[in-house]
Every structure is written in C-alpha cells, then in structure tokens.
Amino acid sequence: MSSAPFPSRDPSTRVVRTTCPYCAVQCNFDLHVVDNLPVRVTPTKECPVAHGTVCKKGLFALNDVRHPDRLTGPLLRRNGELVPVSWAEALAYVSEALRPLLATRPDAVGVFGSGALTNEKTYLLGKFARLALGTANIDYNGRYCMSSAAAALNRTVGYDRGLGFPLGDVATSDLILLVGANIAETLPPVMQYLKGARDRGATVYSIDPRATVTAKVAGRHLAVRPGTDGVLALGLLHLMKAWNCIRPTAPAHGMTEVLWQADDYPPARVAHECGISEDELLTLGRLYAGAHKPLILTGRGPEQHAHGTDTVQTYLNLAFLTGHFGKPGGGYGTLTGQGNGQGGREHGQKADQLPGARSLRNPGHRAEIAALWGCSPDDLPQPGRSAQELFNACGEEGGIEALIVLGSNPVVSAPGALQVRERLEALKHLIVIDFLPSETAQLATLVLPGSMWCEEEGTTTNLEGRVQRRRKAITAPGAAREDWRILCDLAAAVGRPRGFTYATFRELQDEFFRATRGGVADYGGLSAERLDRASAQWPVRSADGPDTPYAYAPTYPTPDGLARLHVPSFPPPPAPRGLTLTTGRLGNQYQSGTQTRRNPALRASLELQVHPETARERGLNPGDLARVTTRHGTLDLPVALNPGLRPDTLFMPFHWEASANLLTSPDSLDPHSRMPAFKATPASLVPVPVTALAGSISEGRPARTAPLEGGVPV
Ligand SMILES: Nc1nc2c(c(=O)[nH]1)N[C@H]1C(S)=C(S)[C@@H](COP(=O)(O)OP(=O)(O)OC[C@H]3O[C@@H](n4cnc5c(=O)[nH]c(N)nc54)[C@H](O)[C@@H]3O)O[C@H]1N2
Ligand SMILES: Nc1nc2c(c(=O)[nH]1)N[C@H]1C(S)=C(S)[C@@H](COP(=O)(O)OP(=O)(O)OC[C@H]3O[C@@H](n4cnc5c(=O)[nH]c(N)nc54)[C@H](O)[C@@H]3O)O[C@H]1N2
Ligand code: SF4
Ligand SMILES: [Mo]
C-alpha cells in the first residue's frame, strides 16, 4: 500500500488514506481534501479488510467533521451555564480543581476512556492517570462492550485477541454460528466473508431472539430466549459427549469438571430453558458434530449479561473440547465492536492493566513499566474501580469528586442512565474532552474541544488484531486541539509535566510501541514506516520479524502454558412468563448517537420492536405509543411490528437520549467482567394514550444502589 498523503490528479486536492472513525472492521479509505476541508470519501480495493467496500456510516463520516455543533473552544460552567473561555482560563480551572485533590486523595480523581481512541491515546490516557494523577481509578467503555469475552479468554488462555486468525480464513469454515451478532448491520463488510464461506457450502446459523437482516442472509435462525446462550452451549456439549465427539485441542485444566457439568443439560431441559424445540437443538448439534471446521462467533448478544463471562466460557469450552479452538478459520472468536475496541483493551486504560496487556497486579510488569516511565514501581497505583463502580462512586462520600471523560457518552450508554446522570451531577468537577456537545458534555463543568479521527495521527487495531495507521488529513478547527496534546496540557496544569513533554506525535508513538515490547500484546516491532508498507497482526516482536496472523496456538501465556477451562454457573432460568427487553443497534446509527444523530445521511427512528402477536394481545398497532416499564424506569415509544422477533421479547436500540438505558439495571454486573445486563431486563408493555410524547420519560426514578462489593475486574 502506498504511503499517504500522496498527490491526486487535481493539484488543489490532496488524498489521504486513513481508517474509518467507527466500527472495528476499520475499513481503509481515501479522504479527498481541498484546502483544510475533507470533501469526499472513496473506498479502496487495497483495504486489507473490506477490499473496497464501506458502509454508509463510513461513506458519510465527513458530514459531522464541520458540523455547526462542532466544539471549537473550551467551555466553562459559570453560574450554571457553559460559556466560552480561553485555554488559559480552562487550564487554570483544571489546576485549581485538581491540585488540592491530588495532594490529599488522588483516587478521588477518576478517568474514563474509550475504545474509540487510537492506541497512542489509550496508552497516554493510562499513563496520565497513573503517573500524572497517581489515581487508581481509570476504566473505559470497553467494560460495557466485549469485556465478558475478554475475561473468559484471559482466564482460559492468558490473553485475548478477538479473532485469532485473518478474516479471510472465515471462508474456510464449514459451519458458522453467529451467536448474538447482527453483523449485516454492525460490521457490514464482514458479510462478504460469510458469503464466501456459504458459497463454498458452509452452513451459517444466526442464534438471536430476532430474525435480523443477518439471520435472513445466513439462511438458518435459532431464536433463543435472551440470556440462555450458555445453556444452549451446555446442551451442545452434552450432545458432543454423548456422540463421542470430545477430542480436546490440547491438554488443559478443568476438562473433567466441565464435561461432568454437561451431563446435567440433556436436550429436554435445554430446549425448555432456551425456548426452542428439541428438534432445533438436535439439528444444530448434528451439524456441529459433523463439521470439520466449525466457527463460533459471539457478538454482544450473549456477552452483555450479568453472567456474560460464563456464557462465553461455555462456547470456549465447547470449541476447545471438540478440538477446534485455535484452528485457522475455526474454533471460537468474539467480534470486537468499536474502532479500536481491540487496541483499547490492551494498552492500559483498563482498571487493572498496564501497556502491552500487562497486569497491574504483576510485580514484574509493574517494574518494566515503571522503568520506562522513570518512576518507582511503588508509585504505580493498584487496580481501581470498574466502569459502573466508578460512576456509582461519583459524588459519594470518600468516592470520586472529579472525573475526566475522553471518548464516551455514558449519560446515554451506561446502564441505569438516570442514576448515572444523577451521579455525574453530584461531582464537583466533570471534565469532558469531546468534539461534539454530547449529553455527557452538556453536564460538564469544563468541556475541552478535542480532535476528530481525520485531524490526528495514530494507529488502531481492528477485530482481527490488525494494526493500521490512521493519518491526519486536516487540522482541528478554531481552538480545538489534538487529544494527545490536551492530555499533556492537563499534566502540566496539575504540575506533573514530566513524561508528558513530547515535541511531536512521533515521539509519543515510538514510546507507545516501545512500552508494549515484551507484553503479550507486543507491538514492539512496529513503526509508522512498517505500517505504511503493510498492516500487521499482533504480536509483532521485532522490527525485522514477522507479524502473527494466527494467535491461539499452545503453549499459552498461562502460568504453566496450559489452558484453564472453567465450570460456568448460571442463575435459575428466566421465568417462562412475562416479557424480556433486549437492546442493541441499528445499521444507520452508532452507539450513543453523538455523531450519527447529527448526520442527515444516516436517518433512523427510535422504535420499540414488538412481535405482532404480542402487540395484538395488547391492542397495539404499528406506530401506536406503547409504555414499556422495567424495575428501573418507564418509556413511551412508538411500536414497530417485527414478526421475526420472539413473542416474549422486546427490542429497542440505545442510540437516542431517551435511551434504552433508562430501562436497564445499574447494579446487576457480571462478577468476573463487571459487564452490565444490557441484553435482558424483565419488562411489561401496555398501550398509552396517543397524546403522550414519544420517547418521553413518563415516570419512574431508579432506586439508588450501593457500589458492588467483591473482587476487582479481570
Ligand atoms: N451500525 C452500528 N454498527 C456498530 C455499532 C453501532 O452502534 N452501530 N457499534 C459497534 C460496537 S461498539 C459493537 S460492540 C458492535 C456490536 O455488534 P452486535 O453484537 O452485532 O450488536 P447488537 O445489536 O448489540 O447485538 C447483536 C444481536 O444480539 C441480539 N441479542 C439480544 N439479546 C440476546 C441474547 O440474549 N442472546 C443472543 N444470542 N442474542 C441476543 C440482538 O437481537 C442483536 O441482533 O457493533 C459495532 N458496529
Ligand atoms: N442498552 C445498551 N447500552 C449499551 C450497549 C447496548 O448494546 N445496549 N452497548 C454498549 C457498548 S458495546 C458500547 S461500546 C458503549 C458505547 O457507548 P459510548 O461509550 O457512549 O460510546 P460513543 O457513543 O461512541 O461515545 C463516544 C463519545 O466520545 C466522542 N468521541 C469519539 N471519538 C473520540 C475521540 O477520538 N476523541 C474525543 N475527544 N472524543 C471522541 C463522541 O463524540 C461521543 O460523544 O455503549 C454500551 N451501551
Ligand atoms: S463503520 Fe465499520 S464497516 Fe462501516 S465503513 Fe466504518 S469501519 Fe467500515
Ligand atoms: Mo461496543
């Protein structure tokens, strides 16, 4: 691939090859720039992931780069209003606000990051929290994303790369189980790989309470009841054992116990709990038993539950015990979601982590990073609070008094949104670095205008662990600054500039690559020049050594090199009566919607999906307002009929301010990953008078919850 920027035929236009700001596919495209304005996106066949395709979000990503709402200067809250101030005033506020806290109780300052950030910003944010602030309390929105899959992989094989092989290998699988992954809407270019497999005779199954667009393309659909995917996998393992299909990938701990447990999951029990027929289970079982290279891919459907880690574990156990785990194009993988969801979980913005996927609990790892940062290992804090526990502690006695948010909009995307809003309002200082006035920025005491994707250099790591360059095409408008510079400014403002005085971005980037050297997520052999020649899948241990397309080969980086299978434990099956609300995404919107709701090319509407039978029983017609109530809140929403949905399930997207998260629980978290239960909330549904406002919060305040007790996150 050619390096960029490179000249185009029109001399007034520059063309810069970069990566999309949105999802984890990380399509490459060319950005055409006239003066300091990007004017067009053109896909490129040279993209190693999408091969010339992009989705609508990428194609129209330019629409919000110079949106009228774009933040172009700092805003400080004075007399209740956010008013424009200079950078000097903004940084003076930071200094006055944070220095007294840092002098007495550094853990009172929290930091919240994002899988939308480049690797370099992820690294710098973690370094900023531990070294400049000295706080233990940093975590990020990946906790709400794939943390259950990450926790299961980490505890089983010692590390976590979403896909252990290049996407191209998917075409060699003969059975693909998409468990709660609606990739036609969420990772559209990945469909070409599934179609490739299907063209070669593979069977593709969508396991989802809804018959999604993906299910229609897949051709096979199993509509499990939300939250029962783990039971389904145990049922499959039971059948594999009964049919003599157990031939483990490698010796491992825990196999006997895991196989014993499967005895308790005969087809009748599994069919009943999952809300499917025994025939459907046996059909799937026979296909799995007969496949040469089955591939299980999980999305957020099975993962975003209070037992998400154990659910993923059941699929890992199944893939491992049937000998498919780690095979190119087979076994198990999780589909990473955010643009840098993979790199974002490796380089130190997690509550318990140091760069290179090192552990804050490991004395050797602490010493390595302390040496690089020029501090004593004892100066590095211990692991801190996980995302939801961080929010729950905001404004609490002895908790968090000041919070810095970079790249997330938790007022919309965190569970129990009303409680999160209340907690953020109780903070003394809320500093939000964003480029648009997100709902969270609107609550801030200080808003700092940051940089967008095309206004900065960096690298991102996509869903296959592929590291690619993001290239700067234009400069940020007005007084907006590159995020990495803002973090350095903040370090200076709190009087701790040492280690945050990079003259150029390149200095930061080279330090980042160095910091990962020797970790399991080792990028030590990478440089901007090497990435100009070709993308690379980690680990890349030396400048002249190869990258690693195939990640999961024994021996594993566990204490004795062996995998550790764990016996999952599940809550009693959900009550067979009543409705369950599940939540997720639409193709035309992205996450909390800060960017995509402002984009006129990406129209979509907020509707509650209801099965026609369920609607008819309640006298609801399409477009009618329905009142959906959970233990946490109530929302009035227009109804859309979806005959492909389970009659006992409701579905709504979370992209709007009248968020699905007004209805989700702020306090039921997975004990291992601290993942909230976004995907299953008991709910009721009744019609409301047509005069009520769509999307209004008609009643209901969530009960305040105490921070969770228990161990620190994985
Ligand atoms: N258009 C668009 N694309 C995106 C994003 C976006 O916001 N918009 N976000 C990106 C991010 S960060 C992520 S994490 C990915 C997420 O990508 P996906 O995981 O594909 O997205 P979701 O819609 O959250 O969930 C997938 C499916 O899970 C189903 N589901 C719900 N509950 C259950 C359950 O209990 N079991 C099973 N088996 N299925 C269930 C839902 O019906 C839904 O169809 O998408 C990425 N791509
Ligand atoms: N009910 C329900 N809730 C969910 C989910 C679900 O399925 N259901 N999914 C969860 C998942 S998987 C995820 S990943 C989260 C995501 O939810 P959030 O963490 O809220 O992520 P975004 O909506 O992408 O918010 C990103 C914010 O940061 C800004 N931003 C983006 N990139 C940058 C950057 O590089 N620099 C700066 N300065 N700002 C930036 C954007 O303008 C936006 O305001 O939501 C979670 N919440
Ligand atoms: S949102 Fe994802 S699939 Fe769409 S263009 Fe961007 S990276 Fe590609
Ligand atoms: Mo995500």
Side-chain angles (χ1 to χ4, degrees):
M1 194 188 294
S2 45
S3 64
F6 53 88
S8 81
R9 261 176 252 144
D10 174 355
S12 69
T13 308
R14 283 180 303 123
V15 181
V16 181
R17 179 153 305 166
T18 192
T19 54
C20 175
Y22 296 120
C23 85
V25 180
Q26 283 298 280
C27 299
N28 302 187
F29 47 61
D30 289 339
L31 207 54
H32 301 252
V33 180
V34 179
D35 298 328
N36 195 36
L37 215 63
V39 292
R40 194 157 44 97
V41 158
T42 50
T44 167
K45 286 206 159 52
E46 290 175 37
C47 170
V49 200
H51 305 293
T53 62
V54 287
C55 81
K56 229 175 149 182
K57 294 189 297 303
L59 197 59
F60 295 106
L62 293 182
N63 284 357
D64 26 274
V65 174
R66 289 295 176 267
H67 192 278
D69 291 348
R70 180 67 199 271
L71 299 172
T72 54
L75 301 170
L76 183 63
R77 191 167 299 277
R78 281 190 180 142
N79 303 323
E81 297 287 313
L82 281 171
V83 295
V85 291
S86 67
W87 273 99
E89 288 168 293
L91 293 171
Y93 168 85
V94 172
S95 181
E96 272 170 45
L98 300 191
R99 279 184 195 227
L101 291 175
L102 298 183
T104 52
R105 208 165 58 82
D107 287 348
V109 184
V111 176
F112 197 74
S114 168
L117 306 178
T118 57
N119 289 314
E120 291 78 2
K121 289 195 288 186
T122 296
Y123 165 75
L124 191 62
L125 192 68
K127 181 182 178 187
F128 169 74
R130 271 77 179 225
L131 193 64
L133 301 180
T135 179
N137 287 317
I138 171 170
D139 207 38
Y140 83 122
N141 70 0
R143 186 72 57 193
Y144 297 146
C145 186
M146 42 5 79
S147 62
S148 290
L153 278 161
N154 277 325
R155 75 182 185 184
T156 305
V157 290
Y159 70 120
D160 124 71
R161 200 180 92 182
L163 280 187
F165 48 80
L167 264 173
D169 284 1
V170 168
T172 67
S173 308
D174 54 351
L175 173 67
I176 300 169
L177 307 188
L178 296 171
V179 190
N182 181 16
I183 59 179
E185 293 196 76
T186 56
L187 309 163
V190 174
M191 290 305 280
Q192 65 194 276
Y193 296 100
L194 288 190
K195 287 180 185 150
R198 227 192 31 199
D199 291 348
R200 295 169 65 157
T203 306
V204 185
Y205 242 101
S206 161
I207 299 173
D208 194 310
R210 297 187 302 149
T212 57
V213 190
T214 311
K216 281 171 199 141
V217 179
R220 302 268 198 137
H221 177 218
L222 188 62
V224 288
R225 186 188 299 171
T228 63
D229 302 273
V231 173
L232 179 70
L234 281 164
L236 291 174
L237 188 60
H238 179 100
L239 294 176
M240 296 313 116
K241 191 175 171 188
W243 297 341
N244 290 323
C245 298
I246 302 300
R247 51 184 96 80
T249 295
H253 300 282
M255 295 198 288
T256 315
E257 294 80 355
V258 165
L259 284 166
W260 275 339
Q261 187 197 29
D263 291 344
D264 297 338
Y265 289 82
R269 172 181 178 184
V270 171
H272 175 72
E273 290 187 18
C274 297
I276 57 174
S277 71
E278 274 185 60
D279 269 357
E280 286 177 304
L281 175 65
L282 290 168
T283 303
L284 180 59
R286 275 186 215 106
L287 276 169
Y288 192 85
H292 294 290
K293 207 197 275 181
L295 172 61
I296 300 165
L297 294 172
T298 58
R300 300 302 82 81
E303 297 174 12
Q304 290 177 322
H305 293 276
H307 50 275
T309 305
D310 277 354
T311 300
V312 170
Q313 186 75 51
T314 59
Y315 286 91
L316 259 175
N317 291 348
L318 176 66
F320 198 95
L321 288 167
T322 49
H324 303 296
F325 181 78
K327 272 191 195 167
Y332 170 79
T334 178
L335 294 162
T336 299
Q338 297 182 86
N340 196 29
Q342 180 69 53
R345 66 191 194 243
E346 297 164 0
H347 302 300
Q349 62 179 337
K350 277 173 81 170
D352 59 350
Q353 192 195 52
L354 290 168
R358 290 180 173 90
S359 169
L360 259 179
R361 293 191 190 85
N362 180 315
H365 292 179
R366 294 171 69 89
E368 283 166 5
I369 295 302
L372 183 83
W373 289 350
C375 64
S376 149
D378 296 337
D379 294 340
L380 295 175
Q382 292 298 323
R385 291 176 164 92
S386 75
Q388 194 67 15
E389 289 157 307
L390 189 61
F391 293 131
N392 286 347
C394 285
E396 293 287 343
E397 185 73 36
I400 305 292
E401 294 183 46
L403 183 70
I404 300 170
V405 178
L406 174 59
S408 181
N409 185 12
V411 168
V412 175
S413 57
L418 266 188
Q419 175 171 302
V420 168
R421 173 182 286 271
E422 191 183 272
R423 295 289 87 226
L424 296 184
E425 283 171 345
L427 284 165
K428 279 202 190 118
H429 310 285
L430 174 60
I431 300 170
V432 176
I433 309 169
D434 206 311
F435 40 69
L436 284 165
S438 71
E439 286 73 12
T440 305
Q442 288 168 34
L443 293 186
T445 54
L446 178 69
V447 182
L448 296 175
S451 45
M452 287 189 112
W453 53 287
C454 50
E455 297 163 352
E456 58 179 19
E457 289 288 321
T459 56
T460 60
T461 307
N462 85 346
L463 76 177
E464 321 147 278
R466 185 185 298 281
V467 188
Q468 306 189 99
R469 272 192 78 175
R470 183 168 279 182
R471 296 189 182 85
K472 180 170 175 170
I474 57 173
T475 50
R481 287 189 183 168
E482 287 175 57
D483 291 340
W484 71 271
R485 287 195 188 274
I486 296 177
L487 293 178
C488 295
D489 292 342
L490 294 182
V494 298
R496 311 256 177 88
R498 205 170 63 84
F500 298 91
T501 52
Y502 310 99
T504 60
F505 173 77
R506 188 57 193 262
E507 270 182 32
L508 163 63
Q509 183 171 56
D510 289 344
E511 179 185 302
F512 155 66
F513 288 139
R514 259 198 326 277
T516 67
R517 201 168 283 159
V520 284
D522 190 332
Y523 292 31
L526 291 178
S527 62
E529 289 70 28
R530 178 162 176 174
L531 291 173
D532 275 342
R533 292 193 295 276
S535 61
Q537 287 175 273
W538 68 258
V540 188
R541 300 197 187 280
S542 66
D544 46 7
D547 73 337
T548 313
Y550 301 100
Y552 288 113
T555 57
Y556 306 107
T558 53
D560 58 3
L562 298 182
R564 292 184 145 59
L565 306 191
H566 293 254
V567 177
S569 84
F570 294 111
R577 288 183 180 281
L579 295 171
T580 301
L581 172 73
T582 192
T583 62
R585 293 163 167 78
L586 302 178
N588 264 1
Q589 286 296 309
Y590 191 72
Q591 313 277 61
S592 70
T594 309
Q595 293 160 269
T596 47
R597 274 184 274 134
R598 289 185 164 82
N599 190 331
L602 299 174
R603 295 260 175 246
S605 41
L606 171 58
E607 292 169 324
L608 180 74
Q609 296 183 18
V610 185
H611 187 272
E613 189 57 29
T614 311
R616 198 189 53 78
E617 283 168 8
R618 288 160 179 79
L620 287 164
N621 291 308
D624 285 357
L625 276 186
R627 179 160 296 173
V628 51
T629 303
T630 69
R631 200 163 64 79
H632 314 284
T634 295
L635 270 179
D636 293 347
L637 296 161
V639 165
L641 298 186
N642 182 350
L645 181 66
R646 284 179 63 90
D648 59 8
T649 303
L650 306 170
F651 175 89
M652 80 174 279
F654 77 105
H655 309 295
W656 282 270
E657 191 183 356
S659 169
N661 286 319
L662 295 166
L663 303 174
T664 55
S665 166
D667 56 350
S668 46
L669 302 184
D670 181 291
H672 310 287
S673 64
R674 297 304 205 221
M675 166 68 80
F678 287 123
K679 290 287 197 267
T681 313
S684 67
L685 182 72
V686 293
V688 288
V690 279
T691 46
L693 268 181
S696 65
I697 308 162
S698 44
E699 60 185 67
R701 280 192 78 69
R704 283 280 298 285
T705 49
L708 278 186
E709 302 295 327
V712 261
V714 187

